[in-house]
Amino acid sequence: MSKEIIILITLITYIIILIMLGYFGSRRTHNNTDFFLGGRSLGPIVAAMSYVASSASAWVMLGLSGLGYAVGVSALWIVPGLLLGHGFSWLWLAPRLQKFSHQYKLVTVTDLLIFEGSPTIKKNIRLFTASIIIFCFMFYVAAQLQAAGGTFAVTFNMPLTDSIVLGGLVIMTYTMLGGFWAVSLTDTLQGSLMLLAAILLPTLALVEVGGLGDFWQNYKMVASADQLSYSGSYGGFMIVGFVVGSMSIGLGAMGQPHLLTRFMSLKSGKNIRTAQAIALSSYAICMIGMITLGMSGKIMIFEISNQEDIFFVLTDNLLPVVFGGIMVAAILSAVLSTADSQLLVS
């Protein structure tokens, strides 16, 4: 069989599994709390991995690997910033939000924001909050669908519009079938695939370039001075702006409603420590792994037309076709797992 057929079979199998999980979720959905919060009964593994899958979307799998390829060492400043942001969310917000939402039976993040105040104030806050979420997520979901469409288009040489429609149909099917249960179960599968990709591909790439011992020496031979510098192409006070700007991306982690609902859905506060460890360690592995993959790709492939395609190029070079199909499914996972959560929150 050709490479395209094998990848197609892998992806069809994967999509069928997602829709089956959506159907399974629908069997456990009986009211609003079930549909939007999974009955507040998520365990630590599902809550943590679905959080990782929803936050580490295509921008981590494709964007960070492309960034590592393009700018080199300075891409690493993003990692501590994001870990600080997600760490604050898990260590400070999660236990408080879990306890408060269970105590007062809150279903959405908006319910928390309108907890106090007159009926008029509550109504205005609800409308204003909903407007912000829908407006911002419209662009975020569009970006995810474009990434899904790009994955199909690159793999099967399909028109981009048809690819985007196909990805959107898959997401809508299982999200509307089973609500939060479906989203959480599928996100756990997708997060696991992403974590596998973030461990396997960088490891194989490092072996290909001579292992950890030779990696830096080989990288210095192909990289520019800017790519070898922790400050990139910046100097003087601009270094401070570059570092602070790179790390500030982590600030967004604290208020994204599709991530905060994971805290509200946790079954017990006793499970939070386990969920914290799983989520933060998995997130760190995904980010560092993708940047390492991009830098290793610079050693193996000196020039590429689209830097974000380095993931697909190295997948073709390092893996048998069947496993390559699984890695393509991992990219699709990163896309679907964010878009489904955002659609549900919207």
Side-chain angles (χ1 to χ4, degrees):
M1 287 189 292
S2 68
K3 167 191 163 185
E4 288 76 14
I5 294 296
I6 293 176
I7 292 178
L8 181 62
I9 292 171
T10 305
L11 286 178
I12 289 174
T13 304
Y14 173 69
I15 289 169
I16 289 172
I17 291 172
L18 292 184
I19 294 174
M20 286 174 62
L21 288 173
Y23 175 74
F24 175 72
S26 70
R27 301 294 298 273
R28 301 186 61 173
T29 301
H30 307 290
N31 52 47
N32 271 354
T33 304
D34 289 340
F35 190 81
F36 291 112
L37 286 180
R40 305 182 203 278
S41 58
L42 261 63
I45 295 176
V46 173
M49 291 308 297
S50 63
Y51 177 98
V52 171
S54 296
S55 54
S57 56
W59 77 269
V60 170
M61 305 300 287
L62 298 181
L64 278 189
S65 57
L67 189 68
Y69 181 91
V71 307
V73 175
S74 61
L76 290 168
W77 284 114
I78 290 176
V79 177
L82 279 164
L83 287 180
L84 285 172
H86 290 292
F88 178 83
S89 291
W90 272 104
L91 299 174
W92 196 87
L93 281 175
R96 290 163 174 79
L97 191 53
Q98 190 273 338
K99 181 179 179 181
F100 196 81
S101 63
H102 277 243
Q103 182 177 352
Y104 294 102
K105 308 300 180 186
L106 306 182
V107 177
T108 68
V109 176
T110 311
D111 290 337
L112 175 68
L113 298 177
I114 63 168
F115 187 73
E116 295 177 339
S118 67
T120 302
I121 290 175
K122 287 183 176 181
K123 179 182 178 181
N124 290 337
I125 291 175
R126 184 184 292 279
L127 289 172
F128 185 57
T129 305
S131 300
I132 291 173
I133 290 172
I134 291 171
F135 178 78
C136 294
F137 276 3
M138 180 168 61
F139 296 101
Y140 206 156
V141 170
Q144 298 304 314
L145 291 176
Q146 184 182 28
T151 301
F152 281 121
V154 168
T155 306
F156 304 114
N157 200 26
M158 290 174 61
L160 187 60
T161 302
D162 294 347
S163 303
I164 289 172
V165 170
L166 178 60
L169 284 173
V170 173
I171 295 168
M172 288 300 296
T173 299
Y174 71 76
T175 301
M176 298 309 294
L177 261 177
F180 195 83
W181 272 115
V183 166
S184 297
L185 291 172
T186 53
D187 283 1
T188 301
L189 171 63
Q190 291 159 346
S192 301
L193 266 180
M194 291 161 57
L195 187 60
L196 172 65
I199 294 172
L200 180 61
L201 276 176
T203 300
L204 292 175
L206 283 173
V207 171
E208 187 72 16
V209 299
L212 279 173
D214 294 331
F215 165 73
W216 186 244
Q217 294 301 321
N218 291 332
Y219 187 69
K220 287 195 293 186
M221 294 173 62
V222 298
S224 66
D226 290 345
Q227 290 170 330
L228 294 170
S229 171
Y230 283 97
S231 59
S233 59
Y234 302 99
F237 286 111
M238 289 295 290
I239 296 175
V240 177
F242 169 70
V243 172
V244 172
S246 297
M247 293 182 65
S248 293
I249 192 173
L251 293 173
M254 302 176 205
Q256 296 188 44
H258 66 297
L259 302 182
L260 298 181
T261 51
R262 263 60 188 188
F263 306 149
M264 299 170 68
S265 66
L266 270 165
K267 183 177 182 179
S268 170
K270 298 176 183 178
N271 294 329
I272 288 182
R273 286 190 178 276
T274 304
Q276 288 167 344
I278 295 171
L280 295 178
S281 59
S282 298
Y283 208 86
I285 290 169
C286 286
M287 289 189 295
I288 295 171
M290 287 301 101
I291 293 173
T292 302
L293 180 69
M295 293 174 66
S296 299
K298 185 67 178 178
I299 301 172
M300 297 168 62
I301 299 159
F302 187 71
E303 285 189 25
I304 188 171
S305 57
N306 182 356
Q307 292 150 354
E308 291 189 356
D309 286 343
I310 191 65
F311 183 98
F312 299 112
V313 173
L314 293 186
T315 296
D316 285 343
N317 289 349
L318 297 171
L319 291 171
V321 176
V322 174
F323 290 106
I326 295 173
M327 291 302 106
V328 172
I331 290 295
L332 192 61
S333 299
V335 173
L336 302 183
S337 58
T338 300
D340 58 17
S341 298
Q342 291 169 338
L343 286 170
L344 189 63
V345 165
S346 299

